[in-house]
mmCIF file of all heavy atoms in Angstrom:
data_model
loop_
_atom_site.group_PDB
_atom_site.id
_atom_site.type_symbol
_atom_site.label_atom_id
_atom_site.label_comp_id
_atom_site.label_asym_id
_atom_site.label_seq_id
_atom_site.Cartn_x
_atom_site.Cartn_y
_atom_site.Cartn_z
ATOM 1 N N GLY W 21 -7.421 -197.706 20.017
ATOM 2 C CA GLY W 21 -6.409 -196.964 20.623
ATOM 3 C C GLY W 21 -6.886 -196.071 21.670
ATOM 4 O O GLY W 21 -6.193 -195.684 22.683
ATOM 5 N N TYR W 22 -8.018 -195.489 21.509
ATOM 6 C CA TYR W 22 -8.566 -194.509 22.525
ATOM 7 C C TYR W 22 -9.046 -195.350 23.697
ATOM 8 O O TYR W 22 -8.973 -194.866 24.850
ATOM 9 C CB TYR W 22 -9.745 -193.796 21.893
ATOM 10 C CG TYR W 22 -10.452 -192.824 22.765
ATOM 11 C CD1 TYR W 22 -9.914 -191.554 23.081
ATOM 12 C CD2 TYR W 22 -11.723 -193.186 23.288
ATOM 13 C CE1 TYR W 22 -10.496 -190.655 23.972
ATOM 14 C CE2 TYR W 22 -12.341 -192.277 24.213
ATOM 15 C CZ TYR W 22 -11.807 -191.026 24.472
ATOM 16 O OH TYR W 22 -12.378 -190.180 25.314
ATOM 17 N N ALA W 23 -9.621 -196.542 23.533
ATOM 18 C CA ALA W 23 -10.264 -197.298 24.512
ATOM 19 C C ALA W 23 -9.295 -198.161 25.405
ATOM 20 O O ALA W 23 -9.517 -198.525 26.474
ATOM 21 C CB ALA W 23 -11.461 -198.181 24.085
ATOM 22 N N GLN W 24 -8.182 -198.426 24.762
ATOM 23 C CA GLN W 24 -7.223 -199.415 25.396
ATOM 24 C C GLN W 24 -6.695 -198.885 26.789
ATOM 25 O O GLN W 24 -6.751 -199.588 27.734
ATOM 26 C CB GLN W 24 -6.004 -199.607 24.554
ATOM 27 C CG GLN W 24 -4.880 -200.356 25.076
ATOM 28 C CD GLN W 24 -3.750 -200.630 24.203
ATOM 29 O OE1 GLN W 24 -3.778 -200.323 22.968
ATOM 30 N NE2 GLN W 24 -2.525 -201.001 24.722
ATOM 31 N N PRO W 25 -6.329 -197.661 26.940
ATOM 32 C CA PRO W 25 -5.859 -197.100 28.314
ATOM 33 C C PRO W 25 -7.101 -197.337 29.367
ATOM 34 O O PRO W 25 -6.800 -197.649 30.506
ATOM 35 C CB PRO W 25 -5.490 -195.749 28.148
ATOM 36 C CG PRO W 25 -5.171 -195.642 26.686
ATOM 37 C CD PRO W 25 -6.140 -196.500 25.955
ATOM 38 N N LEU W 26 -8.267 -197.077 28.922
ATOM 39 C CA LEU W 26 -9.422 -197.198 29.770
ATOM 40 C C LEU W 26 -9.548 -198.641 30.263
ATOM 41 O O LEU W 26 -9.769 -198.890 31.510
ATOM 42 C CB LEU W 26 -10.618 -196.619 29.201
ATOM 43 C CG LEU W 26 -10.625 -195.261 28.777
ATOM 44 C CD1 LEU W 26 -11.964 -194.759 28.015
ATOM 45 C CD2 LEU W 26 -10.461 -194.240 29.941
ATOM 46 N N VAL W 27 -9.514 -199.519 29.402
ATOM 47 C CA VAL W 27 -9.629 -201.024 29.664
ATOM 48 C C VAL W 27 -8.503 -201.449 30.601
ATOM 49 O O VAL W 27 -8.755 -202.068 31.532
ATOM 50 C CB VAL W 27 -9.655 -201.832 28.346
ATOM 51 C CG1 VAL W 27 -9.693 -203.391 28.728
ATOM 52 C CG2 VAL W 27 -10.936 -201.425 27.496
ATOM 53 N N ALA W 28 -7.290 -200.995 30.226
ATOM 54 C CA ALA W 28 -6.127 -201.451 31.088
ATOM 55 C C ALA W 28 -6.218 -200.900 32.481
ATOM 56 O O ALA W 28 -5.907 -201.654 33.425
ATOM 57 C CB ALA W 28 -4.828 -200.921 30.318
ATOM 58 N N ASP W 29 -6.666 -199.645 32.670
ATOM 59 C CA ASP W 29 -6.861 -199.044 33.953
ATOM 60 C C ASP W 29 -7.949 -199.841 34.739
ATOM 61 O O ASP W 29 -7.771 -200.075 35.937
ATOM 62 C CB ASP W 29 -7.244 -197.624 33.854
ATOM 63 C CG ASP W 29 -7.449 -196.937 35.112
ATOM 64 O OD1 ASP W 29 -6.262 -196.670 35.816
ATOM 65 O OD2 ASP W 29 -8.567 -196.577 35.623
ATOM 66 N N TYR W 30 -9.019 -200.174 34.079
ATOM 67 C CA TYR W 30 -10.130 -200.867 34.713
ATOM 68 C C TYR W 30 -9.622 -202.361 35.132
ATOM 69 O O TYR W 30 -9.989 -202.769 36.253
ATOM 70 C CB TYR W 30 -11.341 -201.018 33.808
ATOM 71 C CG TYR W 30 -12.538 -201.458 34.551
ATOM 72 C CD1 TYR W 30 -13.136 -200.700 35.470
ATOM 73 C CD2 TYR W 30 -13.127 -202.786 34.314
ATOM 74 C CE1 TYR W 30 -14.264 -201.072 36.074
ATOM 75 C CE2 TYR W 30 -14.236 -203.180 34.969
ATOM 76 C CZ TYR W 30 -14.886 -202.346 35.960
ATOM 77 O OH TYR W 30 -15.980 -202.813 36.526
ATOM 78 N N VAL W 31 -8.834 -202.880 34.351
ATOM 79 C CA VAL W 31 -8.289 -204.319 34.652
ATOM 80 C C VAL W 31 -7.388 -204.100 35.882
ATOM 81 O O VAL W 31 -7.456 -205.021 36.855
ATOM 82 C CB VAL W 31 -7.558 -204.882 33.512
ATOM 83 C CG1 VAL W 31 -6.825 -206.192 33.911
ATOM 84 C CG2 VAL W 31 -8.591 -205.253 32.439
ATOM 85 N N ASP W 32 -6.570 -203.110 35.987
ATOM 86 C CA ASP W 32 -5.789 -202.801 37.187
ATOM 87 C C ASP W 32 -6.663 -202.730 38.381
ATOM 88 O O ASP W 32 -6.297 -203.294 39.521
ATOM 89 C CB ASP W 32 -4.926 -201.535 36.980
ATOM 90 C CG ASP W 32 -3.851 -201.744 35.964
ATOM 91 O OD1 ASP W 32 -3.527 -203.015 35.744
ATOM 92 O OD2 ASP W 32 -3.417 -200.774 35.368
ATOM 93 N N LYS W 33 -7.785 -202.008 38.299
ATOM 94 C CA LYS W 33 -8.659 -201.897 39.540
ATOM 95 C C LYS W 33 -9.203 -203.314 39.876
ATOM 96 O O LYS W 33 -9.320 -203.572 41.081
ATOM 97 C CB LYS W 33 -9.772 -200.985 39.190
ATOM 98 C CG LYS W 33 -9.268 -199.526 39.097
ATOM 99 C CD LYS W 33 -10.436 -198.517 38.853
ATOM 100 C CE LYS W 33 -10.039 -197.073 38.968
ATOM 101 N NZ LYS W 33 -8.824 -196.721 38.174
ATOM 102 N N LEU W 34 -9.606 -204.118 38.867
ATOM 103 C CA LEU W 34 -10.160 -205.457 39.227
ATOM 104 C C LEU W 34 -9.092 -206.279 39.847
ATOM 105 O O LEU W 34 -9.367 -207.120 40.731
ATOM 106 C CB LEU W 34 -10.659 -206.101 37.932
ATOM 107 C CG LEU W 34 -11.884 -205.426 37.296
ATOM 108 C CD1 LEU W 34 -12.268 -206.223 36.079
ATOM 109 C CD2 LEU W 34 -13.112 -205.437 38.250
ATOM 110 N N ALA W 35 -7.839 -206.188 39.358
ATOM 111 C CA ALA W 35 -6.763 -206.987 39.952
ATOM 112 C C ALA W 35 -6.474 -206.595 41.379
ATOM 113 O O ALA W 35 -6.264 -207.399 42.290
ATOM 114 C CB ALA W 35 -5.470 -206.834 39.093
ATOM 115 N N ALA W 36 -6.549 -205.229 41.597
ATOM 116 C CA ALA W 36 -6.437 -204.716 42.983
ATOM 117 C C ALA W 36 -7.422 -205.189 43.886
ATOM 118 O O ALA W 36 -7.233 -205.531 45.061
ATOM 119 C CB ALA W 36 -6.203 -203.277 42.975
ATOM 120 N N GLU W 37 -8.750 -205.291 43.333
ATOM 121 C CA GLU W 37 -9.809 -205.681 44.142
ATOM 122 C C GLU W 37 -9.719 -207.218 44.605
ATOM 123 O O GLU W 37 -10.039 -207.579 45.634
ATOM 124 C CB GLU W 37 -11.137 -205.501 43.455
ATOM 125 C CG GLU W 37 -12.413 -205.843 44.162
ATOM 126 C CD GLU W 37 -13.647 -205.490 43.391
ATOM 127 O OE1 GLU W 37 -13.559 -204.798 42.376
ATOM 128 O OE2 GLU W 37 -14.765 -205.978 43.768
ATOM 129 N N ILE W 38 -9.133 -208.024 43.629
ATOM 130 C CA ILE W 38 -8.952 -209.373 43.965
ATOM 131 C C ILE W 38 -7.846 -209.603 45.098
ATOM 132 O O ILE W 38 -7.918 -210.393 45.901
ATOM 133 C CB ILE W 38 -8.567 -210.212 42.677
ATOM 134 C CG1 ILE W 38 -9.756 -210.262 41.784
ATOM 135 C CG2 ILE W 38 -8.137 -211.574 43.007
ATOM 136 C CD1 ILE W 38 -9.584 -210.876 40.499
ATOM 137 N N GLY W 39 -6.808 -208.680 45.013
ATOM 138 C CA GLY W 39 -5.770 -208.658 46.064
ATOM 139 C C GLY W 39 -4.609 -209.540 45.796
ATOM 140 O O GLY W 39 -4.696 -210.389 44.861
ATOM 141 N N THR W 40 -3.593 -209.346 46.668
ATOM 142 C CA THR W 40 -2.439 -210.297 46.572
ATOM 143 C C THR W 40 -2.180 -210.822 48.020
ATOM 144 O O THR W 40 -1.898 -209.981 48.938
ATOM 145 C CB THR W 40 -1.242 -209.383 46.186
ATOM 146 O OG1 THR W 40 -1.555 -208.868 44.849
ATOM 147 C CG2 THR W 40 -0.065 -210.348 45.893
ATOM 148 N N PRO W 41 -2.124 -212.061 48.216
ATOM 149 C CA PRO W 41 -2.503 -213.126 47.219
ATOM 150 C C PRO W 41 -3.876 -213.050 46.784
ATOM 151 O O PRO W 41 -4.709 -212.532 47.485
ATOM 152 C CB PRO W 41 -2.087 -214.429 48.073
ATOM 153 C CG PRO W 41 -2.365 -214.032 49.442
ATOM 154 C CD PRO W 41 -1.901 -212.589 49.598
ATOM 155 N N PRO W 42 -4.215 -213.543 45.651
ATOM 156 C CA PRO W 42 -5.597 -213.375 45.210
ATOM 157 C C PRO W 42 -6.681 -214.130 46.002
ATOM 158 O O PRO W 42 -6.372 -215.299 46.570
ATOM 159 C CB PRO W 42 -5.498 -214.063 43.804
ATOM 160 C CG PRO W 42 -4.339 -214.959 43.868
ATOM 161 C CD PRO W 42 -3.368 -214.371 44.781
ATOM 162 N N ASP W 43 -7.815 -213.562 46.138
ATOM 163 C CA ASP W 43 -8.886 -214.039 46.868
ATOM 164 C C ASP W 43 -9.899 -214.464 46.003
ATOM 165 O O ASP W 43 -10.613 -213.803 45.242
ATOM 166 C CB ASP W 43 -9.454 -212.952 47.777
ATOM 167 C CG ASP W 43 -10.502 -213.534 48.786
ATOM 168 O OD1 ASP W 43 -11.034 -214.620 48.535
ATOM 169 O OD2 ASP W 43 -10.847 -212.834 49.767
ATOM 170 N N ALA W 44 -10.136 -215.930 45.899
ATOM 171 C CA ALA W 44 -11.108 -216.543 45.071
ATOM 172 C C ALA W 44 -12.566 -216.017 45.311
ATOM 173 O O ALA W 44 -13.337 -215.854 44.337
ATOM 174 C CB ALA W 44 -11.065 -218.038 45.104
ATOM 175 N N ALA W 45 -12.869 -215.692 46.521
ATOM 176 C CA ALA W 45 -14.246 -215.271 46.885
ATOM 177 C C ALA W 45 -14.429 -213.775 46.214
ATOM 178 O O ALA W 45 -15.518 -213.535 45.688
ATOM 179 C CB ALA W 45 -14.494 -215.163 48.420
ATOM 180 N N ARG W 46 -13.467 -212.989 46.333
ATOM 181 C CA ARG W 46 -13.591 -211.696 45.624
ATOM 182 C C ARG W 46 -13.703 -211.820 44.091
ATOM 183 O O ARG W 46 -14.554 -211.109 43.449
ATOM 184 C CB ARG W 46 -12.394 -210.789 45.995
ATOM 185 C CG ARG W 46 -12.325 -210.359 47.459
ATOM 186 C CD ARG W 46 -11.133 -209.505 47.668
ATOM 187 N NE ARG W 46 -11.020 -209.163 49.097
ATOM 188 C CZ ARG W 46 -9.943 -208.456 49.672
ATOM 189 N NH1 ARG W 46 -9.036 -207.990 48.866
ATOM 190 N NH2 ARG W 46 -9.923 -208.199 50.977
ATOM 191 N N ALA W 47 -12.966 -212.799 43.615
ATOM 192 C CA ALA W 47 -13.016 -213.064 42.148
ATOM 193 C C ALA W 47 -14.405 -213.446 41.702
ATOM 194 O O ALA W 47 -15.007 -213.026 40.716
ATOM 195 C CB ALA W 47 -11.949 -214.019 41.644
ATOM 196 N N GLN W 48 -14.939 -214.296 42.561
ATOM 197 C CA GLN W 48 -16.323 -214.766 42.271
ATOM 198 C C GLN W 48 -17.411 -213.693 42.373
ATOM 199 O O GLN W 48 -18.313 -213.581 41.633
ATOM 200 C CB GLN W 48 -16.684 -215.938 43.211
ATOM 201 C CG GLN W 48 -18.068 -216.594 42.971
ATOM 202 C CD GLN W 48 -18.013 -217.311 41.613
ATOM 203 O OE1 GLN W 48 -17.088 -218.022 41.319
ATOM 204 N NE2 GLN W 48 -19.031 -217.064 40.793
ATOM 205 N N ALA W 49 -17.110 -212.827 43.313
ATOM 206 C CA ALA W 49 -18.029 -211.658 43.460
ATOM 207 C C ALA W 49 -17.981 -210.787 42.232
ATOM 208 O O ALA W 49 -18.949 -210.171 41.783
ATOM 209 C CB ALA W 49 -17.635 -210.859 44.764
ATOM 210 N N ILE W 50 -16.827 -210.645 41.673
ATOM 211 C CA ILE W 50 -16.559 -209.678 40.497
ATOM 212 C C ILE W 50 -17.378 -210.342 39.347
ATOM 213 O O ILE W 50 -18.105 -209.772 38.538
ATOM 214 C CB ILE W 50 -15.196 -209.571 40.165
ATOM 215 C CG1 ILE W 50 -14.520 -208.613 41.235
ATOM 216 C CG2 ILE W 50 -14.985 -208.923 38.761
ATOM 217 C CD1 ILE W 50 -12.992 -208.494 41.007
ATOM 218 N N VAL W 51 -17.232 -211.738 39.316
ATOM 219 C CA VAL W 51 -17.920 -212.456 38.126
ATOM 220 C C VAL W 51 -19.371 -212.350 38.225
ATOM 221 O O VAL W 51 -20.178 -212.186 37.253
ATOM 222 C CB VAL W 51 -17.478 -213.900 38.162
ATOM 223 C CG1 VAL W 51 -18.271 -214.772 37.152
ATOM 224 C CG2 VAL W 51 -15.966 -214.054 37.681
ATOM 225 N N ALA W 52 -19.889 -212.424 39.479
ATOM 226 C CA ALA W 52 -21.393 -212.211 39.720
ATOM 227 C C ALA W 52 -21.898 -210.936 39.323
ATOM 228 O O ALA W 52 -23.014 -210.740 38.940
ATOM 229 C CB ALA W 52 -21.696 -212.657 41.173
ATOM 230 N N ARG W 53 -21.052 -209.861 39.487
ATOM 231 C CA ARG W 53 -21.333 -208.511 39.269
ATOM 232 C C ARG W 53 -21.288 -208.017 37.861
ATOM 233 O O ARG W 53 -22.128 -207.238 37.357
ATOM 234 C CB ARG W 53 -20.577 -207.556 40.267
ATOM 235 C CG ARG W 53 -21.114 -206.141 40.223
ATOM 236 C CD ARG W 53 -20.223 -205.334 41.241
ATOM 237 N NE ARG W 53 -18.863 -204.921 40.832
ATOM 238 C CZ ARG W 53 -17.743 -205.401 41.330
ATOM 239 N NH1 ARG W 53 -17.822 -206.232 42.294
ATOM 240 N NH2 ARG W 53 -16.620 -205.016 40.808
ATOM 241 N N LEU W 54 -20.218 -208.575 37.232
ATOM 242 C CA LEU W 54 -19.925 -208.047 35.864
ATOM 243 C C LEU W 54 -19.922 -209.190 34.844
ATOM 244 O O LEU W 54 -19.636 -210.371 35.272
ATOM 245 C CB LEU W 54 -18.486 -207.371 35.830
ATOM 246 C CG LEU W 54 -18.398 -206.259 36.919
ATOM 247 C CD1 LEU W 54 -16.839 -205.767 36.821
ATOM 248 C CD2 LEU W 54 -19.169 -205.101 36.409
ATOM 249 N N PRO W 55 -20.127 -209.001 33.553
ATOM 250 C CA PRO W 55 -20.032 -210.011 32.556
ATOM 251 C C PRO W 55 -18.663 -210.334 32.139
ATOM 252 O O PRO W 55 -18.243 -210.058 30.918
ATOM 253 C CB PRO W 55 -20.946 -209.457 31.386
ATOM 254 C CG PRO W 55 -20.665 -207.886 31.565
ATOM 255 C CD PRO W 55 -20.593 -207.612 33.025
#
């Protein structure tokens, strides 16, 4: 319950980084940088 808001906020940042419409290259860069 304590970590859930932090994870949700970080997922929002990753979704914003991918953009709208989503950019596959940015998604690949995130995968290369993070597990």
Side-chain angles (χ1 to χ4, degrees):
Y22 180 77
Q24 177 183 342
L26 299 178
V27 173
D29 184 73
Y30 192 70
V31 170
D32 288 339
K33 289 182 172 57
L34 292 179
E37 184 177 344
I38 293 175
T40 304
D43 188 339
R46 293 179 182 179
Q48 187 62 48
I50 291 175
V51 170
R53 187 174 78 247
L54 301 173

